[in-house]
Amino acid sequence: MKKWIFAAALLFSTSIFAACGTQGTASSASSTKNDDTINVVTTFYPMYEFTKAVVGDEGDVTLLIPAGNEPHEYEPSAQDMTKITDADVFVYNSDALEGWVANGLDTVDTDKTKVIQAAEGITLSESDGASEEAGELDPHVWLDPVLAKQEVETITAGLTDQFPDKADVFEKNAEAYIAKLTDLDKKYQAAFDNATQRSFVTQHAAFGYLAKEYGLTQEAISGISPEEEPSAARLAALKTFVEDHDLSIIYFEETASSKVAEALADETGVATEVLNPIEGITQADLADGVTYLSIMEDNLKSLMKTIK
């Protein structure tokens, strides 16, 4: 994003959007403080669910990035920045994903608004070299249940630091949610422990941490961003990979264009299945009660059709 656009948006936010109304659902962020309620703004869905699990009934947790939008190309509006500056706590994944945060924090009073980078302390890997984005840091740590637990712990520590009188509640809530992530991890381990075919092809390079955790091999059509266009050489290499490994499925994403994945599937004569990176959960999914945990269960079922 151009720095002058960002700066202008921030200046505009301070003068125009100071009186924005509040909303208490996951679909959009609250923009004013309630003195009696903790107000937490999170960037995208996994950060929302992890944080909501810890906060519980102690406050309002809201999404900044609207449902149905993925975070890779997101840029905050002036109103979005006001929501952050008005919050008690702001939670994001990492500078590798929400790169705009580094500049945006210049306008945030961090004594008033606690800023939590959930991936802090996790060593991010570089992308796998399959694309022009090779060498960029991979932010998709939330797709590894083990690293997701670490993110929940980091969020818990940040919330406790800001509200020490609620430490016991936060800790109890975090333990309950981490237990669910531990169960999820065990299901993934059990599913893949004895697999002999451990490779899969997916739309973009979002599942590198998950693959590493369970001894799998991810081959991605695109790089870190789902919107990156693969080269003809890359597609030819993937066609060979699919044939050499006798794969029967290529995975695509519902919230990004799937035309390249579908074209590759047609070229190789294989089926397609959804593998969800949980970046742009839809409003319909939210209304249906879909969660990070349920999507990860669905991802496991989808992967088990290839990993055997």
Side-chain angles (χ1 to χ4, degrees):
M1 179 177 57
K2 297 268 193 298
K3 289 185 177 180
W4 68 267
I5 296 176
F6 191 83
L10 296 181
L11 179 61
F12 190 56
S13 72
T14 61
S15 60
I16 300 298
F17 293 106
C20 295
T22 59
Q23 296 182 37
T25 67
S27 62
S28 62
S30 173
S31 60
T32 62
K33 284 191 176 182
N34 182 325
D35 291 340
D36 299 324
T37 304
I38 298 173
N39 173 16
V40 185
V41 173
T42 63
T43 49
F44 69 114
Y45 188 78
M47 300 303 101
Y48 167 82
E49 182 166 324
F50 296 169
T51 305
K52 181 62 178 173
V54 178
V55 172
D57 297 329
E58 299 301 315
D60 292 330
V61 181
T62 51
L63 271 171
L64 185 68
I65 300 175
N69 292 267
E70 64 89 29
H72 284 278
E73 304 301 325
Y74 170 81
E75 295 180 357
S77 66
Q79 186 174 9
D80 292 335
M81 290 308 304
T82 297
K83 292 170 183 176
I84 295 171
T85 58
D86 283 349
D88 296 304
V89 180
F90 170 59
V91 181
Y92 71 110
N93 181 70
S94 68
D95 293 333
L97 183 64
E98 301 101 321
W100 53 269
V101 171
N103 287 331
L105 290 184
D106 291 341
T107 69
V108 176
D109 181 353
T110 53
D111 290 330
K112 173 184 171 185
T113 302
K114 177 73 174 180
V115 177
I116 302 173
Q117 181 178 189
E120 185 175 3
I122 298 174
T123 301
L124 301 185
S125 302
E126 292 185 354
S127 60
D128 60 11
S131 70
E132 293 178 2
E133 295 177 358
E136 289 190 16
L137 293 179
D138 181 356
H140 300 90
V141 293
W142 63 90
L143 292 168
D144 175 353
V146 175
L147 295 180
K149 288 194 288 185
Q150 190 169 334
E151 291 205 293
V152 173
E153 290 168 351
T154 298
I155 291 167
T156 304
L159 288 166
T160 299
D161 183 61
Q162 186 76 341
F163 301 101
D165 58 319
K166 299 184 182 295
D168 291 343
V169 177
F170 292 156
E171 188 61 34
K172 181 179 178 180
N173 290 344
E175 287 176 358
Y177 190 77
I178 286 172
K180 295 177 181 179
L181 291 173
T182 297
D183 288 342
L184 181 67
D185 171 41
K186 290 178 179 178
K187 290 177 182 178
Y188 270 81
Q189 288 182 26
F192 302 139
D193 268 352
N194 298 314
T196 55
Q197 199 307 101
R198 311 183 72 89
S199 299
F200 64 100
V201 175
T202 188
Q203 184 160 329
H204 90 286
F207 298 89
Y209 296 102
L210 182 145
K212 181 179 180 181
E213 187 68 53
Y214 302 108
L216 310 179
T217 298
Q218 167 191 251
E219 287 293 330
I221 297 171
S222 299
I224 296 299
S225 170
E227 301 305 322
E228 182 202 3
E229 290 290 335
S231 65
R234 178 60 184 159
L235 291 174
L238 283 169
K239 182 177 183 293
T240 300
F241 184 88
V242 169
E243 294 169 345
D244 288 349
H245 290 79
D246 195 25
L247 300 183
S248 59
I249 292 171
I250 290 173
Y251 294 102
F252 72 98
E253 301 163 19
E254 292 181 315
T255 57
S257 174
S258 60
K259 62 181 181 180
V260 177
E262 291 171 348
L264 181 60
D266 289 342
E267 179 71 18
T268 53
V270 303
T272 57
E273 284 274 346
V274 172
L275 198 60
N276 192 336
I278 324 181
E279 293 176 349
I281 190 169
T282 67
Q283 191 64 53
D285 285 338
L286 290 173
D288 289 341
V290 172
T291 68
Y292 167 90
L293 293 167
S294 69
I295 294 172
M296 288 295 289
E297 294 267 10
D298 289 343
N299 282 347
L300 176 56
K301 292 174 185 176
S302 291
L303 280 170
M304 287 174 67
K305 296 177 182 180
T306 293
I307 310 299
K308 301 176 181 178

